[in-house]
Amino acid sequence: MNVNPVQLFDVDSSTFSYILVADDNTSAVIIDPVERHWQRDLAHLERLGLKLAYVLETHAHADHVTSAGKLVDVTGARAAVPSGCGIMPAEVQLKDGDVIRFGADERIEVLHTPGHTAGSVSYVWRGNVFTGDTLLIDGCGRTDFQSGSSQALYDSVIGKLFALPDTTRVWPGHDYKGQSVSTIGWEKRHNARLANRSKEDFGALMAALKLPKPILMDIAIPANQNLGLPHGA
Amino acid sequence: MNVNPVQLFDVDSSTFSYILVADDNTSAVIIDPVERHWQRDLAHLERLGLKLAYVLETHAHADHVTSAGKLVDVTGARAAVPSGCGIMPAEVQLKDGDVIRFGADERIEVLHTPGHTAGSVSYVWRGNVFTGDTLLIDGCGRTDFQSGSSQALYDSVIGKLFALPDTTRVWPGHDYKGQSVSTIGWEKRHNARLANRSKEDFGALMAALKLPKPILMDIAIPANQNLGLPHGA
Ligand SMILES: [Fe+2]
Ligand SMILES: [Fe+2]
């Protein structure tokens, strides 16, 4: 069954958030919610008549602040985060192979996919993979700060994400070009950075990017490691 | 099964387009595609590995131009449009109760829901309804030009759309507030214009709106009645 998430967008940071609806229509999970949209996202859950079971993060973001802590406070949902990201207040610290369950019969599998950050994970659910900034449509996340490693990202994408079935739908953490969804099969054949490229070539390509530091980085990372809640509050 | 469409957005006109993916992963239908995004939309179909079976329009839009004709030319898909909209080059002219089939087992039901325009239709597919500008999230389309009628819109929403199951997911033709999806149940109880309101009240409310004419109207309507293709081309 082609079950898609509800894809939500933040224009300021070009961030995607996702609502995964349980097939029994009782509950949902949200992935990578954005601070300024917590009311929008709660309104979506309310309109759909869904209880929020989990807030998931793919990593500690450097370019926007999460609403995870706020959503947990307001709804009583649980926060589940990658164990390698230093996100301390989260109740559930995830590692590779863990399974998150919600609704009557939903299973989200955790894949540890380091490279954009050392802790980054991807989430697999009903033929979909939520890749955070590990794999983007026709691209990938940067690997030059925040414990990033182009070698690790290459291994994560080639070894883990490209090992998923070709029809798996890829839902990225960002897009800057109006793209919304892709598939593993397409990215394997066409991804401008990763298709048909050696690890050495990829390392050289990433090293040559020389990207500016995200404007919000020094605020966003510590904030996100506290689930977006004020420190000491 | 909670099967959602892929929801695509045009920032300039706040228009949603939708890709409906057949469960057999062979083919798709697109609803209300926007002219400037025809390449984006084809790229989505290509990444998902889908053949375009139909291009559907909910009505002849006044605020943006469709890419339907272009998509038909490029892909060989069929255009199916409401019979009451004067969209002449479309192969399939739809009326209330018609069913559009694609993939192995997909059925889209056509509901004639006049009011925003006399020809407007909504499309029902696997627990989802695509309402065009008849029913918006917490609102509705204008009824003051282009054969619009507040009385007809009231009857369409109360009599036809609100008769769908409460859990039916509502995917509108526009949203101006960052909202993406709702349900019939929520709109029945909370829609600011239509919930718990008499036909007389609703008519008075719509008559008092005094909205400006859409900037693109005199270009968009004739263009859309030609599926967005140049006249005489
Ligand atoms: Fe990131
Ligand atoms: Fe319209």
PDB file of all heavy atoms in Angstrom, chain A residues 1-4 8 22-23 25 40 44 47 126 178-180 182-183 186, chain B residues 1-4 8 22-23 25 40 44 47 126 137 178-180 182-183 186:
ATOM      1  N   MET A   1       0.824  -1.216   0.000  1.00  0.00           N
ATOM      2  CA  MET A   1       0.000   0.000   0.000  1.00  0.00           C
ATOM      3  C   MET A   1       0.858   1.267   0.000  1.00  0.00           C
ATOM      4  O   MET A   1       1.774   1.402   0.792  1.00  0.00           O
ATOM      5  CB  MET A   1      -0.870   0.018   1.268  1.00  0.00           C
ATOM      6  CG  MET A   1      -2.304  -0.420   1.027  1.00  0.00           C
ATOM      7  SD  MET A   1      -3.182   0.782   0.004  1.00  0.00           S
ATOM      8  CE  MET A   1      -4.716  -0.118  -0.228  1.00  0.00           C
ATOM      9  N   ASN A   2       0.553   2.169  -0.890  1.00  0.00           N
ATOM     10  CA  ASN A   2       1.293   3.426  -0.979  1.00  0.00           C
ATOM     11  C   ASN A   2       0.813   4.426   0.046  1.00  0.00           C
ATOM     12  O   ASN A   2       0.011   5.294  -0.241  1.00  0.00           O
ATOM     13  CB  ASN A   2       1.101   4.036  -2.360  1.00  0.00           C
ATOM     14  CG  ASN A   2       2.006   3.379  -3.368  1.00  0.00           C
ATOM     15  OD1 ASN A   2       3.167   3.134  -3.058  1.00  0.00           O
ATOM     16  ND2 ASN A   2       1.487   3.100  -4.532  1.00  0.00           N
ATOM     17  N   VAL A   3       1.322   4.292   1.258  1.00  0.00           N
ATOM     18  CA  VAL A   3       0.920   5.204   2.320  1.00  0.00           C
ATOM     19  C   VAL A   3       1.945   6.317   2.412  1.00  0.00           C
ATOM     20  O   VAL A   3       3.119   6.060   2.677  1.00  0.00           O
ATOM     21  CB  VAL A   3       0.842   4.439   3.654  1.00  0.00           C
ATOM     22  CG1 VAL A   3       0.447   5.376   4.768  1.00  0.00           C
ATOM     23  CG2 VAL A   3      -0.136   3.294   3.537  1.00  0.00           C
ATOM     24  N   ASN A   4       1.521   7.535   2.176  1.00  0.00           N
ATOM     25  CA  ASN A   4       2.435   8.665   2.256  1.00  0.00           C
ATOM     26  C   ASN A   4       2.229   9.424   3.553  1.00  0.00           C
ATOM     27  O   ASN A   4       1.151   9.402   4.132  1.00  0.00           O
ATOM     28  CB  ASN A   4       2.189   9.624   1.088  1.00  0.00           C
ATOM     29  CG  ASN A   4       2.591   9.028  -0.252  1.00  0.00           C
ATOM     30  OD1 ASN A   4       3.553   8.290  -0.334  1.00  0.00           O
ATOM     31  ND2 ASN A   4       1.827   9.335  -1.281  1.00  0.00           N
ATOM     32  N   LEU A   8       4.946  18.812   5.494  1.00  0.00           N
ATOM     33  CA  LEU A   8       4.765  20.215   5.862  1.00  0.00           C
ATOM     34  C   LEU A   8       6.072  20.965   5.618  1.00  0.00           C
ATOM     35  O   LEU A   8       7.144  20.385   5.740  1.00  0.00           O
ATOM     36  CB  LEU A   8       4.364  20.311   7.332  1.00  0.00           C
ATOM     37  CG  LEU A   8       3.120  19.506   7.726  1.00  0.00           C
ATOM     38  CD1 LEU A   8       3.011  19.407   9.243  1.00  0.00           C
ATOM     39  CD2 LEU A   8       1.868  20.131   7.133  1.00  0.00           C
ATOM     40  N   ALA A  22      -1.267   6.869  11.711  1.00  0.00           N
ATOM     41  CA  ALA A  22      -1.501   5.436  11.900  1.00  0.00           C
ATOM     42  C   ALA A  22      -2.708   5.003  11.080  1.00  0.00           C
ATOM     43  O   ALA A  22      -3.679   5.751  10.936  1.00  0.00           O
ATOM     44  CB  ALA A  22      -1.740   5.124  13.377  1.00  0.00           C
ATOM     45  N   ASP A  23      -2.649   3.796  10.566  1.00  0.00           N
ATOM     46  CA  ASP A  23      -3.724   3.318   9.727  1.00  0.00           C
ATOM     47  C   ASP A  23      -5.051   3.203  10.472  1.00  0.00           C
ATOM     48  O   ASP A  23      -6.121   3.266   9.871  1.00  0.00           O
ATOM     49  CB  ASP A  23      -3.360   1.970   9.107  1.00  0.00           C
ATOM     50  CG  ASP A  23      -4.336   1.596   8.026  1.00  0.00           C
ATOM     51  OD1 ASP A  23      -4.575   2.451   7.158  1.00  0.00           O
ATOM     52  OD2 ASP A  23      -4.874   0.480   8.066  1.00  0.00           O
ATOM     53  N   ASN A  25      -6.114   5.426  12.333  1.00  0.00           N
ATOM     54  CA  ASN A  25      -6.627   6.793  12.479  1.00  0.00           C
ATOM     55  C   ASN A  25      -6.741   7.265  13.919  1.00  0.00           C
ATOM     56  O   ASN A  25      -7.543   8.158  14.224  1.00  0.00           O
ATOM     57  CB  ASN A  25      -7.999   6.910  11.819  1.00  0.00           C
ATOM     58  CG  ASN A  25      -7.926   7.782  10.578  1.00  0.00           C
ATOM     59  OD1 ASN A  25      -7.267   8.827  10.574  1.00  0.00           O
ATOM     60  ND2 ASN A  25      -8.587   7.345   9.531  1.00  0.00           N
ATOM     61  N   ARG A  40       0.575  25.482  14.156  1.00  0.00           N
ATOM     62  CA  ARG A  40       0.124  24.939  12.869  1.00  0.00           C
ATOM     63  C   ARG A  40       0.083  23.409  12.919  1.00  0.00           C
ATOM     64  O   ARG A  40      -0.894  22.786  12.479  1.00  0.00           O
ATOM     65  CB  ARG A  40       1.091  25.378  11.752  1.00  0.00           C
ATOM     66  CG  ARG A  40       0.812  24.734  10.395  1.00  0.00           C
ATOM     67  CD  ARG A  40       1.982  24.863   9.412  1.00  0.00           C
ATOM     68  NE  ARG A  40       3.073  23.963   9.749  1.00  0.00           N
ATOM     69  CZ  ARG A  40       4.205  23.842   9.055  1.00  0.00           C
ATOM     70  NH1 ARG A  40       4.386  24.599   7.977  1.00  0.00           N
ATOM     71  NH2 ARG A  40       5.154  23.008   9.428  1.00  0.00           N
ATOM     72  N   HIS A  44      -3.068  20.747  12.710  1.00  0.00           N
ATOM     73  CA  HIS A  44      -3.211  19.622  11.772  1.00  0.00           C
ATOM     74  C   HIS A  44      -3.634  18.353  12.493  1.00  0.00           C
ATOM     75  O   HIS A  44      -4.520  17.634  12.035  1.00  0.00           O
ATOM     76  CB  HIS A  44      -1.894  19.371  11.017  1.00  0.00           C
ATOM     77  CG  HIS A  44      -1.750  20.241   9.818  1.00  0.00           C
ATOM     78  ND1 HIS A  44      -0.829  21.257   9.720  1.00  0.00           N
ATOM     79  CD2 HIS A  44      -2.447  20.271   8.662  1.00  0.00           C
ATOM     80  CE1 HIS A  44      -0.961  21.853   8.560  1.00  0.00           C
ATOM     81  NE2 HIS A  44      -1.937  21.284   7.899  1.00  0.00           N
ATOM     82  N   ARG A  47      -7.286  18.673  13.486  1.00  0.00           N
ATOM     83  CA  ARG A  47      -8.222  18.512  12.359  1.00  0.00           C
ATOM     84  C   ARG A  47      -8.343  17.058  11.925  1.00  0.00           C
ATOM     85  O   ARG A  47      -9.406  16.608  11.509  1.00  0.00           O
ATOM     86  CB  ARG A  47      -7.742  19.340  11.165  1.00  0.00           C
ATOM     87  CG  ARG A  47      -8.044  20.802  11.305  1.00  0.00           C
ATOM     88  CD  ARG A  47      -7.790  21.522   9.990  1.00  0.00           C
ATOM     89  NE  ARG A  47      -7.301  22.843  10.295  1.00  0.00           N
ATOM     90  CZ  ARG A  47      -6.024  23.198  10.276  1.00  0.00           C
ATOM     91  NH1 ARG A  47      -5.092  22.350   9.890  1.00  0.00           N
ATOM     92  NH2 ARG A  47      -5.681  24.401  10.619  1.00  0.00           N
ATOM     93  N   ARG A 126       6.592   1.885   6.280  1.00  0.00           N
ATOM     94  CA  ARG A 126       5.643   1.543   5.207  1.00  0.00           C
ATOM     95  C   ARG A 126       6.096   1.994   3.820  1.00  0.00           C
ATOM     96  O   ARG A 126       5.359   2.707   3.121  1.00  0.00           O
ATOM     97  CB  ARG A 126       4.277   2.177   5.490  1.00  0.00           C
ATOM     98  CG  ARG A 126       3.526   1.576   6.690  1.00  0.00           C
ATOM     99  CD  ARG A 126       2.092   2.092   6.700  1.00  0.00           C
ATOM    100  NE  ARG A 126       1.297   1.641   7.819  1.00  0.00           N
ATOM    101  CZ  ARG A 126       0.571   0.506   7.830  1.00  0.00           C
ATOM    102  NH1 ARG A 126       0.551  -0.285   6.792  1.00  0.00           N
ATOM    103  NH2 ARG A 126      -0.155   0.197   8.896  1.00  0.00           N
ATOM    104  N   GLY A 178      12.008  23.266  -4.674  1.00  0.00           N
ATOM    105  CA  GLY A 178      10.618  22.925  -4.970  1.00  0.00           C
ATOM    106  C   GLY A 178      10.374  21.445  -5.159  1.00  0.00           C
ATOM    107  O   GLY A 178       9.300  21.033  -5.595  1.00  0.00           O
ATOM    108  N   GLN A 179      11.358  20.622  -4.838  1.00  0.00           N
ATOM    109  CA  GLN A 179      11.177  19.175  -4.935  1.00  0.00           C
ATOM    110  C   GLN A 179      10.602  18.644  -3.618  1.00  0.00           C
ATOM    111  O   GLN A 179      10.916  19.171  -2.550  1.00  0.00           O
ATOM    112  CB  GLN A 179      12.526  18.506  -5.220  1.00  0.00           C
ATOM    113  CG  GLN A 179      13.185  19.094  -6.464  1.00  0.00           C
ATOM    114  CD  GLN A 179      14.643  18.669  -6.625  1.00  0.00           C
ATOM    115  OE1 GLN A 179      14.997  18.095  -7.622  1.00  0.00           O
ATOM    116  NE2 GLN A 179      15.460  18.964  -5.628  1.00  0.00           N
ATOM    117  N   SER A 180       9.816  17.595  -3.699  1.00  0.00           N
ATOM    118  CA  SER A 180       9.114  17.107  -2.507  1.00  0.00           C
ATOM    119  C   SER A 180       9.448  15.676  -2.136  1.00  0.00           C
ATOM    120  O   SER A 180       9.541  15.345  -0.967  1.00  0.00           O
ATOM    121  CB  SER A 180       7.597  17.194  -2.729  1.00  0.00           C
ATOM    122  OG  SER A 180       7.222  18.521  -3.006  1.00  0.00           O
ATOM    123  N   SER A 182      11.220  11.705  -3.646  1.00  0.00           N
ATOM    124  CA  SER A 182      11.942  10.943  -4.651  1.00  0.00           C
ATOM    125  C   SER A 182      11.836   9.468  -4.279  1.00  0.00           C
ATOM    126  O   SER A 182      11.041   9.097  -3.414  1.00  0.00           O
ATOM    127  CB  SER A 182      13.400  11.408  -4.702  1.00  0.00           C
ATOM    128  OG  SER A 182      14.094  10.759  -5.760  1.00  0.00           O
ATOM    129  N   THR A 183      12.617   8.638  -4.948  1.00  0.00           N
ATOM    130  CA  THR A 183      12.686   7.216  -4.588  1.00  0.00           C
ATOM    131  C   THR A 183      14.154   6.800  -4.491  1.00  0.00           C
ATOM    132  O   THR A 183      15.036   7.424  -5.097  1.00  0.00           O
ATOM    133  CB  THR A 183      12.011   6.318  -5.648  1.00  0.00           C
ATOM    134  OG1 THR A 183      12.607   6.590  -6.914  1.00  0.00           O
ATOM    135  CG2 THR A 183      10.515   6.543  -5.712  1.00  0.00           C
ATOM    136  N   TRP A 186      15.579   6.125  -7.991  1.00  0.00           N
ATOM    137  CA  TRP A 186      15.976   7.310  -8.755  1.00  0.00           C
ATOM    138  C   TRP A 186      17.294   7.884  -8.225  1.00  0.00           C
ATOM    139  O   TRP A 186      18.190   8.230  -8.991  1.00  0.00           O
ATOM    140  CB  TRP A 186      14.871   8.378  -8.718  1.00  0.00           C
ATOM    141  CG  TRP A 186      15.090   9.442  -9.757  1.00  0.00           C
ATOM    142  CD1 TRP A 186      14.605   9.469 -11.025  1.00  0.00           C
ATOM    143  CD2 TRP A 186      15.890  10.632  -9.610  1.00  0.00           C
ATOM    144  NE1 TRP A 186      15.047  10.590 -11.683  1.00  0.00           N
ATOM    145  CE2 TRP A 186      15.833  11.325 -10.842  1.00  0.00           C
ATOM    146  CE3 TRP A 186      16.642  11.171  -8.567  1.00  0.00           C
ATOM    147  CZ2 TRP A 186      16.496  12.525 -11.050  1.00  0.00           C
ATOM    148  CZ3 TRP A 186      17.322  12.371  -8.781  1.00  0.00           C
ATOM    149  CH2 TRP A 186      17.242  13.039 -10.009  1.00  0.00           C
TER     150      TRP A 186
ATOM    151  N   MET B   1      -7.211   1.892   4.631  1.00  0.00           N
ATOM    152  CA  MET B   1      -5.814   2.338   4.509  1.00  0.00           C
ATOM    153  C   MET B   1      -5.732   3.851   4.313  1.00  0.00           C
ATOM    154  O   MET B   1      -6.394   4.398   3.449  1.00  0.00           O
ATOM    155  CB  MET B   1      -5.163   1.661   3.296  1.00  0.00           C
ATOM    156  CG  MET B   1      -4.341   0.458   3.654  1.00  0.00           C
ATOM    157  SD  MET B   1      -2.871   0.979   4.580  1.00  0.00           S
ATOM    158  CE  MET B   1      -2.215  -0.626   5.005  1.00  0.00           C
ATOM    159  N   ASN B   2      -4.880   4.489   5.108  1.00  0.00           N
ATOM    160  CA  ASN B   2      -4.711   5.927   4.997  1.00  0.00           C
ATOM    161  C   ASN B   2      -3.767   6.292   3.869  1.00  0.00           C
ATOM    162  O   ASN B   2      -2.589   6.524   4.083  1.00  0.00           O
ATOM    163  CB  ASN B   2      -4.133   6.476   6.291  1.00  0.00           C
ATOM    164  CG  ASN B   2      -5.204   6.648   7.334  1.00  0.00           C
ATOM    165  OD1 ASN B   2      -6.294   7.109   7.019  1.00  0.00           O
ATOM    166  ND2 ASN B   2      -4.904   6.275   8.556  1.00  0.00           N
ATOM    167  N   VAL B   3      -4.290   6.341   2.681  1.00  0.00           N
ATOM    168  CA  VAL B   3      -3.466   6.661   1.525  1.00  0.00           C
ATOM    169  C   VAL B   3      -3.588   8.153   1.250  1.00  0.00           C
ATOM    170  O   VAL B   3      -4.682   8.652   0.970  1.00  0.00           O
ATOM    171  CB  VAL B   3      -3.928   5.862   0.298  1.00  0.00           C
ATOM    172  CG1 VAL B   3      -3.072   6.193  -0.903  1.00  0.00           C
ATOM    173  CG2 VAL B   3      -3.870   4.381   0.610  1.00  0.00           C
ATOM    174  N   ASN B   4      -2.490   8.870   1.348  1.00  0.00           N
ATOM    175  CA  ASN B   4      -2.511  10.297   1.074  1.00  0.00           C
ATOM    176  C   ASN B   4      -1.935  10.589  -0.299  1.00  0.00           C
ATOM    177  O   ASN B   4      -1.137   9.824  -0.814  1.00  0.00           O
ATOM    178  CB  ASN B   4      -1.679  11.044   2.129  1.00  0.00           C
ATOM    179  CG  ASN B   4      -2.310  10.999   3.498  1.00  0.00           C
ATOM    180  OD1 ASN B   4      -3.529  11.040   3.636  1.00  0.00           O
ATOM    181  ND2 ASN B   4      -1.488  10.888   4.526  1.00  0.00           N
ATOM    182  N   LEU B   8       1.623  19.326  -3.522  1.00  0.00           N
ATOM    183  CA  LEU B   8       2.618  20.257  -4.064  1.00  0.00           C
ATOM    184  C   LEU B   8       2.068  21.676  -3.975  1.00  0.00           C
ATOM    185  O   LEU B   8       0.859  21.874  -4.050  1.00  0.00           O
ATOM    186  CB  LEU B   8       2.924  19.899  -5.522  1.00  0.00           C
ATOM    187  CG  LEU B   8       3.402  18.457  -5.754  1.00  0.00           C
ATOM    188  CD1 LEU B   8       3.363  18.109  -7.240  1.00  0.00           C
ATOM    189  CD2 LEU B   8       4.790  18.241  -5.187  1.00  0.00           C
ATOM    190  N   ALA B  22      -1.132   5.422  -7.912  1.00  0.00           N
ATOM    191  CA  ALA B  22      -1.847   4.141  -7.902  1.00  0.00           C
ATOM    192  C   ALA B  22      -1.131   3.167  -6.987  1.00  0.00           C
ATOM    193  O   ALA B  22       0.100   3.166  -6.903  1.00  0.00           O
ATOM    194  CB  ALA B  22      -1.919   3.559  -9.313  1.00  0.00           C
ATOM    195  N   ASP B  23      -1.896   2.340  -6.331  1.00  0.00           N
ATOM    196  CA  ASP B  23      -1.309   1.410  -5.379  1.00  0.00           C
ATOM    197  C   ASP B  23      -0.375   0.409  -6.049  1.00  0.00           C
ATOM    198  O   ASP B  23       0.540  -0.114  -5.420  1.00  0.00           O
ATOM    199  CB  ASP B  23      -2.408   0.671  -4.628  1.00  0.00           C
ATOM    200  CG  ASP B  23      -1.821  -0.092  -3.459  1.00  0.00           C
ATOM    201  OD1 ASP B  23      -1.054   0.526  -2.699  1.00  0.00           O
ATOM    202  OD2 ASP B  23      -2.100  -1.295  -3.339  1.00  0.00           O
ATOM    203  N   ASN B  25       1.761   1.225  -8.125  1.00  0.00           N
ATOM    204  CA  ASN B  25       2.994   1.964  -8.416  1.00  0.00           C
ATOM    205  C   ASN B  25       3.323   2.073  -9.905  1.00  0.00           C
ATOM    206  O   ASN B  25       4.498   2.226 -10.272  1.00  0.00           O
ATOM    207  CB  ASN B  25       4.185   1.286  -7.707  1.00  0.00           C
ATOM    208  CG  ASN B  25       4.716   2.175  -6.596  1.00  0.00           C
ATOM    209  OD1 ASN B  25       4.838   3.369  -6.774  1.00  0.00           O
ATOM    210  ND2 ASN B  25       5.003   1.570  -5.469  1.00  0.00           N
ATOM    211  N   ARG B  40       8.793  20.721 -12.750  1.00  0.00           N
ATOM    212  CA  ARG B  40       8.879  20.180 -11.390  1.00  0.00           C
ATOM    213  C   ARG B  40       7.980  18.968 -11.258  1.00  0.00           C
ATOM    214  O   ARG B  40       8.371  17.935 -10.698  1.00  0.00           O
ATOM    215  CB  ARG B  40       8.437  21.253 -10.380  1.00  0.00           C
ATOM    216  CG  ARG B  40       8.330  20.746  -8.952  1.00  0.00           C
ATOM    217  CD  ARG B  40       7.533  21.698  -8.048  1.00  0.00           C
ATOM    218  NE  ARG B  40       6.089  21.618  -8.311  1.00  0.00           N
ATOM    219  CZ  ARG B  40       5.168  22.291  -7.643  1.00  0.00           C
ATOM    220  NH1 ARG B  40       5.540  23.126  -6.684  1.00  0.00           N
ATOM    221  NH2 ARG B  40       3.886  22.163  -7.934  1.00  0.00           N
ATOM    222  N   HIS B  44       8.812  14.959 -10.571  1.00  0.00           N
ATOM    223  CA  HIS B  44       8.269  14.121  -9.491  1.00  0.00           C
ATOM    224  C   HIS B  44       7.783  12.783 -10.028  1.00  0.00           C
ATOM    225  O   HIS B  44       8.057  11.735  -9.460  1.00  0.00           O
ATOM    226  CB  HIS B  44       7.115  14.839  -8.778  1.00  0.00           C
ATOM    227  CG  HIS B  44       7.596  15.753  -7.697  1.00  0.00           C
ATOM    228  ND1 HIS B  44       7.510  17.116  -7.773  1.00  0.00           N
ATOM    229  CD2 HIS B  44       8.198  15.477  -6.509  1.00  0.00           C
ATOM    230  CE1 HIS B  44       8.042  17.649  -6.684  1.00  0.00           C
ATOM    231  NE2 HIS B  44       8.460  16.689  -5.901  1.00  0.00           N
ATOM    232  N   ARG B  47      10.819  10.642 -10.897  1.00  0.00           N
ATOM    233  CA  ARG B  47      11.507  10.099  -9.711  1.00  0.00           C
ATOM    234  C   ARG B  47      10.716   8.956  -9.087  1.00  0.00           C
ATOM    235  O   ARG B  47      11.278   8.006  -8.566  1.00  0.00           O
ATOM    236  CB  ARG B  47      11.684  11.193  -8.661  1.00  0.00           C
ATOM    237  CG  ARG B  47      12.827  12.112  -8.966  1.00  0.00           C
ATOM    238  CD  ARG B  47      13.129  13.006  -7.769  1.00  0.00           C
ATOM    239  NE  ARG B  47      13.521  14.299  -8.260  1.00  0.00           N
ATOM    240  CZ  ARG B  47      12.737  15.360  -8.326  1.00  0.00           C
ATOM    241  NH1 ARG B  47      11.501  15.318  -7.859  1.00  0.00           N
ATOM    242  NH2 ARG B  47      13.178  16.480  -8.836  1.00  0.00           N
ATOM    243  N   ARG B 126     -10.144   7.078  -2.241  1.00  0.00           N
ATOM    244  CA  ARG B 126      -9.569   6.363  -1.104  1.00  0.00           C
ATOM    245  C   ARG B 126      -9.588   7.173   0.200  1.00  0.00           C
ATOM    246  O   ARG B 126      -8.558   7.367   0.843  1.00  0.00           O
ATOM    247  CB  ARG B 126      -8.117   5.972  -1.399  1.00  0.00           C
ATOM    248  CG  ARG B 126      -7.948   4.897  -2.473  1.00  0.00           C
ATOM    249  CD  ARG B 126      -6.503   4.384  -2.450  1.00  0.00           C
ATOM    250  NE  ARG B 126      -6.199   3.409  -3.479  1.00  0.00           N
ATOM    251  CZ  ARG B 126      -6.329   2.077  -3.332  1.00  0.00           C
ATOM    252  NH1 ARG B 126      -6.778   1.581  -2.204  1.00  0.00           N
ATOM    253  NH2 ARG B 126      -6.005   1.269  -4.316  1.00  0.00           N
ATOM    254  N   ILE B 137      -9.788  24.872   3.892  1.00  0.00           N
ATOM    255  CA  ILE B 137      -9.627  24.596   5.315  1.00  0.00           C
ATOM    256  C   ILE B 137     -10.091  25.830   6.084  1.00  0.00           C
ATOM    257  O   ILE B 137      -9.567  26.923   5.886  1.00  0.00           O
ATOM    258  CB  ILE B 137      -8.164  24.248   5.666  1.00  0.00           C
ATOM    259  CG1 ILE B 137      -7.737  22.983   4.895  1.00  0.00           C
ATOM    260  CG2 ILE B 137      -7.990  24.069   7.172  1.00  0.00           C
ATOM    261  CD1 ILE B 137      -6.279  22.614   5.096  1.00  0.00           C
ATOM    262  N   GLY B 178      -0.718  28.423   5.675  1.00  0.00           N
ATOM    263  CA  GLY B 178       0.178  27.327   6.060  1.00  0.00           C
ATOM    264  C   GLY B 178      -0.540  26.050   6.458  1.00  0.00           C
ATOM    265  O   GLY B 178       0.070  25.120   6.984  1.00  0.00           O
ATOM    266  N   GLN B 179      -1.826  25.996   6.196  1.00  0.00           N
ATOM    267  CA  GLN B 179      -2.579  24.774   6.492  1.00  0.00           C
ATOM    268  C   GLN B 179      -2.516  23.845   5.269  1.00  0.00           C
ATOM    269  O   GLN B 179      -2.467  24.305   4.139  1.00  0.00           O
ATOM    270  CB  GLN B 179      -4.030  25.115   6.800  1.00  0.00           C
ATOM    271  CG  GLN B 179      -4.154  26.112   7.947  1.00  0.00           C
ATOM    272  CD  GLN B 179      -5.542  26.708   8.063  1.00  0.00           C
ATOM    273  OE1 GLN B 179      -6.169  26.620   9.097  1.00  0.00           O
ATOM    274  NE2 GLN B 179      -6.014  27.325   6.990  1.00  0.00           N
ATOM    275  N   SER B 180      -2.555  22.532   5.524  1.00  0.00           N
ATOM    276  CA  SER B 180      -2.352  21.579   4.434  1.00  0.00           C
ATOM    277  C   SER B 180      -3.507  20.614   4.227  1.00  0.00           C
ATOM    278  O   SER B 180      -3.827  20.279   3.100  1.00  0.00           O
ATOM    279  CB  SER B 180      -1.094  20.743   4.700  1.00  0.00           C
ATOM    280  OG  SER B 180       0.023  21.571   4.839  1.00  0.00           O
ATOM    281  N   SER B 182      -7.292  18.821   6.143  1.00  0.00           N
ATOM    282  CA  SER B 182      -8.291  18.804   7.204  1.00  0.00           C
ATOM    283  C   SER B 182      -9.136  17.550   7.025  1.00  0.00           C
ATOM    284  O   SER B 182      -8.770  16.651   6.251  1.00  0.00           O
ATOM    285  CB  SER B 182      -9.152  20.067   7.122  1.00  0.00           C
ATOM    286  OG  SER B 182     -10.048  20.136   8.219  1.00  0.00           O
ATOM    287  N   THR B 183     -10.221  17.471   7.766  1.00  0.00           N
ATOM    288  CA  THR B 183     -11.165  16.362   7.592  1.00  0.00           C
ATOM    289  C   THR B 183     -12.580  16.933   7.484  1.00  0.00           C
ATOM    290  O   THR B 183     -12.867  18.037   7.947  1.00  0.00           O
ATOM    291  CB  THR B 183     -11.146  15.391   8.789  1.00  0.00           C
ATOM    292  OG1 THR B 183     -11.393  16.137   9.977  1.00  0.00           O
ATOM    293  CG2 THR B 183      -9.815  14.661   8.903  1.00  0.00           C
ATOM    294  N   TRP B 186     -13.966  17.747  10.979  1.00  0.00           N
ATOM    295  CA  TRP B 186     -13.509  19.001  11.578  1.00  0.00           C
ATOM    296  C   TRP B 186     -14.206  20.190  10.913  1.00  0.00           C
ATOM    297  O   TRP B 186     -14.670  21.110  11.588  1.00  0.00           O
ATOM    298  CB  TRP B 186     -11.990  19.151  11.454  1.00  0.00           C
ATOM    299  CG  TRP B 186     -11.451  20.239  12.334  1.00  0.00           C
ATOM    300  CD1 TRP B 186     -10.994  20.115  13.615  1.00  0.00           C
ATOM    301  CD2 TRP B 186     -11.362  21.639  12.006  1.00  0.00           C
ATOM    302  NE1 TRP B 186     -10.614  21.346  14.107  1.00  0.00           N
ATOM    303  CE2 TRP B 186     -10.828  22.295  13.146  1.00  0.00           C
ATOM    304  CE3 TRP B 186     -11.671  22.392  10.879  1.00  0.00           C
ATOM    305  CZ2 TRP B 186     -10.597  23.669  13.170  1.00  0.00           C
ATOM    306  CZ3 TRP B 186     -11.454  23.765  10.911  1.00  0.00           C
ATOM    307  CH2 TRP B 186     -10.916  24.393  12.044  1.00  0.00           C
TER     308      TRP B 186
END
